[in-house]
Amino acid sequence: MYGVSDDQVHRARIAVARNSLDSHDCRELLDMLGLIGEGGDPPPVRR
């Protein structure tokens, strides 16, 4: 099974944040990439 490490998720989030136009753009990109967890759940990329 393919796994994504915590470090990879962190680096992806940083890259998205650095290249986003604004906070809305950042959240939208993070959501599309499965890097946002809801309600304390891990992000989809980590499930």
Side-chain angles (χ1 to χ4, degrees), residues 7-47:
D7 185 56
Q8 288 172 313
V9 171
H10 176 72
R11 287 187 286 150
R13 286 177 177 159
I14 296 297
V16 168
R18 284 183 179 154
N19 293 289
S20 297
L21 300 175
D22 55 30
S23 62
H24 177 73
D25 186 44
C26 182
R27 180 155 181 83
E28 190 173 312
L29 289 168
L30 289 171
D31 189 36
M32 285 191 295
L33 294 170
L35 295 170
I36 297 176
E38 297 293 329
D41 290 334
V45 74
R46 294 286 298 153
R47 291 185 202 149

